[in-house]
Amino acid sequence: MGQNAVNAIEVEGLVKTFGRLRAVDGVDLSVPTGSVYGLLGPNGAGKTTTARMLATLTKPDAGTARIYGHDVVQEADTVRGLVSMTGQFASVDEDITGMENLILVSRLLGFGWRDARERAQELLDAFGLEDAADRQVKTFSGGMRRRLDIAASIVITPEILFLDEPTTGLDPRSRNEVWDIVRALVASGTTVLLTTQYLDEADQLAERIAVIDHGKVIAEGTPSQLKASIGAGTLTVRLRDPEQRPHARHVLEQALGVSVEMGSDPASLLARVGDTGNVANAFSDLSQSGVELTEFALGQPSLDEVFLTLTGRPAEQDEQPADQSGTEEAA
Amino acid sequence: MSTVSPATDLPRINGRLRSALSARSRPPRANAVSASVTFGWRAVLKLKHVPEQLFDVTMFPLMFVLMFTYLFGGALEGSPRDYLQFLAPGILVQSIVMITIYTGTVLNNDLRKGVFDRFRSMPVWRPSFLVGAMLGDLLRYTIAASVVLGVALILGFRPAGGVLGVIGGTLLVMLFAFSVSWIWTMLSMFMRTQESLMFASFLVMFPLTFVSNIFVRPETMPSWLESFVDINPISWLTTATRGLMSGDPNAGDIGMVLIASVALVAVFGPLTMFFYNRKE
């Protein structure tokens, strides 16, 4: 496409305030062409606002954003020809049918009536919606709605697709369908900017992730870099007798070589584990020292934990030493 | 957990998806007319799928004609049938101008939905969304006009202006209604709820339609009221429509209506676009 030399998305110092709230507070991003880039963060972190500014739906208060070198404010119309937006709340018309939705979008993009109908039918088939073609969208399941929404976004395959929390509220099966669709899109050359609250989703799909909190990028890197920075996972231990907690905590810290936190449940202990090899030792040490357990579980790091670590809350201060293979802190 | 995929239809879908994606045909952009017509088509589809919307444009006009003809007819003109000759063009004006309010409420509701974001993120002539909504309204006006005129004819309305006079009068009313609808379109850009917009619209429309010459001849009113009625554009429209339908069109009356229509669009059109372009 001859645009490979330029980054698909280039954002510098982007700011958006709503009243006194700085929803987006100086975001910098560089998204290379042909990849899935994840914006990861909790509700209200500024992900959606960032995506909306990039899709020309909201004007930035400061900073610049370019799509293939085109400014989203000065050249909004050019940008609209390059991007498609799939919103957090389905951007399809509930009152009309699936077929009519796709004809509508096709027509608006310049297809004649007959070509629009053909394209709509082709997309309904491609997304497994042919049986629902003539039903009003309000009768669709969440997964069908999302598929229709994405279909509407690729009537003309965009250079960049913004997917705003595409799987929030979907069941696992529908979520997997959406993931497969995203993979197929990327394989066909589309660049995808994905916003999500789920580390798991960013991990599955994104080649790079920017973690956003309070409108700022607090970390950026590949999924493995991010995970390495917070350890392999969290060990949750629950004791039969809460009285034993100080003792058990000491034993665990010795065995794991990391600090162990008291959970809010008086019988629980939590530790972020860097090296899973120590976990087995920790278990046997606890048993030998006479601590009775009701739970001993090693889980993947959750987004909460990524956040706790990255935002540097007191609980995580004496975490892993900083020599973990480099998460690049955002500038 | 995520590594285990529940069974899906995807192997089948994936093949078709790839071919659907490879179809990278890119037609030339839709022009302004074609985009507006497409949005008009959407409005018609909504009427098809949510026919309840038609209650407003059928039941109210029907009620108005029947109610006022028989309520006031005997008292004002001696008989309902005689009064109807005077009332019919006016009640047409009232019915159509009243339903312009729905333009605003429908739009206000539309603007809050996710699909509006999709339209705004597409490379489409921006006003086409509004123009299309108004094209859809023309269909509502036509339906309402047919109901009013149909019932009036059945009850004994015999316009001397004939078919042409009636059509001419109706077109004038629709043109004015289209112009008035820009007021509600503008308000719909910043009113927070449909209810508040509805309330504001009725607050304007009730006095304008009732304190006019639609129901009663202004000569019978106190002079201060009469002078308001005389400068009320709804009165101009009613007079011009009566003229057209009774076969006695008055260029001056029609001209006043045309000027008022142009003025409404000239003021509220740009204001609407100003607020529309700033919507986020």
Side-chain angles (χ1 to χ4, degrees):
Chain A
M1 272 168 267
Q3 286 172 324
N4 292 337
V6 192
N7 272 331
I9 303 173
E10 197 67 63
V11 174
E12 276 170 40
L14 207 59
V15 174
K16 181 72 194 184
T17 54
F18 296 112
R20 298 179 64 186
L21 172 75
R22 291 178 78 82
V24 175
D25 192 5
V27 164
D28 300 312
L29 293 172
S30 290
V31 178
T33 294
S35 63
V36 181
Y37 194 94
L39 287 185
L40 177 66
N43 272 332
K47 310 179 300 280
T48 298
T49 307
T50 302
R52 287 178 64 87
M53 285 191 276
L54 295 177
T56 76
L57 291 173
T58 300
K59 283 202 180 75
D61 292 326
T64 57
R66 288 174 202 286
I67 304 293
Y68 286 110
H70 301 286
D71 188 275
V72 295
V73 178
Q74 306 302 325
E75 301 168 85
D77 201 50
T78 310
V79 169
R80 287 183 198 123
L82 296 169
V83 305
S84 261
M85 171 97 181
T86 294
Q88 188 170 346
F89 308 102
S91 339
V92 287
D93 194 324
E94 304 242 305
D95 292 331
I96 62 178
T97 69
M99 178 62 130
E100 288 162 349
N101 263 287
L102 292 178
I103 294 178
L104 178 67
V105 172
S106 305
R107 286 276 308 152
L108 292 175
L109 288 171
F111 284 85
W113 285 105
R114 216 186 49 186
D115 290 345
R117 179 166 287 274
E118 262 173 35
R119 183 63 177 148
Q121 188 62 57
E122 184 178 27
L123 286 166
L124 289 168
D125 292 345
F127 284 84
L129 292 167
E130 57 273 54
D131 298 333
D134 297 324
R135 274 167 44 194
Q136 274 176 284
V137 173
K138 65 172 72 151
T139 68
F140 280 27
S141 70
M144 289 162 67
R145 220 173 272 225
R146 277 299 149 86
R147 276 183 279 153
L148 180 68
D149 199 359
I150 298 176
S153 295
I154 63 160
V155 165
I156 289 179
T157 314
E159 302 296 331
I160 302 177
L161 178 64
F162 297 110
L163 285 175
D164 189 18
E165 304 206 5
T167 63
T168 299
L170 295 190
D171 59 54
R173 174 196 157 111
S174 306
R175 187 192 58 185
N176 279 315
E177 285 176 353
V178 170
W179 285 357
D180 278 354
I181 289 166
V182 174
R183 290 189 185 105
L185 277 167
V186 174
S188 81
T190 295
T191 305
V192 174
L193 185 84
L194 169 85
T195 77
T196 181
Q197 315 182 31
Y198 309 123
L199 179 64
D200 183 32
E201 179 162 271
D203 192 10
Q204 287 278 322
L205 296 174
E207 280 145 60
R208 292 190 79 82
I209 298 172
V211 183
I212 294 200
D213 187 36
H214 291 111
K216 289 190 162 77
V217 176
I218 55 173
E220 206 264 358
T222 64
S224 49
Q225 284 170 338
L226 283 177
K227 279 193 288 185
S229 74
I230 61 157
T234 299
L235 179 66
T236 307
V237 175
R238 197 159 277 123
L239 312 172
R240 186 168 301 280
D241 179 5
E243 297 282 309
Q244 289 187 313
R245 189 154 81 155
H247 171 62
R249 182 184 183 192
H250 180 72
V251 173
L252 273 177
E253 284 185 335
Q254 292 294 314
L256 296 170
V258 299
S259 76
V260 173
E261 306 304 323
M262 314 267 211
S264 50
D265 169 354
S268 77
L269 290 165
L270 301 165
R272 242 160 289 285
V273 184
D275 177 2
T276 47
N278 291 331
V279 173
N281 295 336
F283 183 70
S284 64
D285 287 0
L286 281 175
S287 316
Q288 278 164 23
S289 67
V291 177
E292 277 190 84
L293 304 176
T294 56
E295 184 186 344
F296 188 91
L298 183 62
Q300 269 197 317
S302 69
L303 179 55
D304 279 347
E305 289 157 310
V306 173
F307 265 85
L308 286 172
T309 311
L310 292 171
T311 54
R313 301 270 168 80
E316 275 66 39
Q317 267 171 359
D318 45 3
E319 249 275 350
Q320 295 289 305
D323 61 2
Q324 282 286 341
S325 61
T327 298
E328 306 149 27
E329 291 292 327
Chain B
M1 42 191 197
S2 53
T3 46
V4 186
S5 289
T8 67
D9 295 337
L10 276 157
R12 179 176 64 85
I13 292 168
N14 258 331
R16 294 196 204 166
L17 185 57
R18 293 226 171 74
S19 70
L21 283 169
S22 63
R24 276 185 181 252
S25 58
R26 198 177 272 259
R29 284 189 179 193
N31 61 39
V33 174
S34 142
S36 304
V37 168
T38 302
F39 279 120
W41 174 70
R42 170 171 176 263
V44 175
L45 287 177
K46 293 216 162 203
L47 283 179
K48 185 182 99 185
H49 289 297
V50 194
E52 299 89 292
Q53 295 180 69
L54 287 176
F55 271 142
D56 303 325
V57 300
T58 52
M59 298 313 287
F60 277 110
L62 183 69
M63 245 168 55
F64 281 151
V65 182
L66 290 173
M67 242 167 44
F68 290 114
T69 302
Y70 289 104
L71 202 59
F72 295 156
L76 294 177
E77 298 280 333
S79 79
R81 194 184 163 103
D82 290 332
Y83 180 52
L84 190 62
Q85 310 309 317
F86 172 80
L87 177 71
I91 210 85
L92 178 73
V93 168
Q94 196 211 19
S95 304
I96 309 286
V97 173
M98 276 297 210
I99 61 177
T100 59
I101 290 174
Y102 294 100
T103 307
T105 52
V106 167
L107 206 57
N108 186 259
N109 191 34
D110 234 10
L111 293 175
R112 264 194 291 271
K113 294 194 171 152
V115 71
F116 179 58
D117 280 345
R118 171 172 307 286
F119 298 145
R120 285 206 314 142
S121 68
M122 289 170 67
V124 179
W125 185 59
R126 299 218 113 190
S128 60
F129 179 72
L130 302 176
V131 177
M134 289 176 177
L135 286 177
D137 287 334
L138 286 182
L139 178 70
R140 285 169 201 256
Y141 303 158
T142 310
I143 294 171
S146 312
V147 171
V148 171
L149 292 171
V151 175
L153 288 169
I154 291 170
L155 296 182
F157 176 47
R158 293 293 173 264
V163 177
L164 279 182
V166 170
I167 290 178
T170 308
L171 288 178
L172 190 69
V173 175
M174 284 199 194
L175 173 78
F176 186 79
F178 167 82
S179 311
V180 168
S181 68
W182 283 96
I183 304 176
W184 320 130
T185 306
M186 184 200 72
L187 288 179
S188 73
M189 296 293 152
F190 47 75
M191 288 301 231
R192 276 158 202 261
T193 64
Q194 257 181 307
E195 289 73 22
S196 56
L197 176 61
M198 196 83 150
F199 178 73
S201 314
F202 276 121
L203 210 59
V204 177
M205 287 323 291
F206 262 106
L208 277 181
T209 52
F210 282 95
V211 187
S212 72
N213 59 2
I214 289 181
F215 300 99
V216 193
R217 296 182 203 276
E219 303 88 80
T220 62
M221 302 173 189
S223 62
W224 56 271
L225 193 60
E226 191 185 343
S227 45
F228 175 81
V229 169
D230 285 345
I231 56 160
N232 180 354
I234 299 285
S235 304
W236 307 345
L237 176 63
T238 307
T239 307
T241 309
R242 278 191 185 126
L244 281 160
M245 291 196 175
S246 64
D248 181 22
N250 181 311
D253 294 339
I254 296 172
M256 290 293 269
V257 173
L258 295 180
I259 291 169
S261 301
V262 170
L264 282 169
V265 177
V267 172
F268 291 101
L271 279 175
T272 302
M273 289 316 298
F274 175 84
F275 292 116
Y276 177 65
N277 286 329
R278 265 150 201 78
K279 252 196 118 54
E280 298 197 338

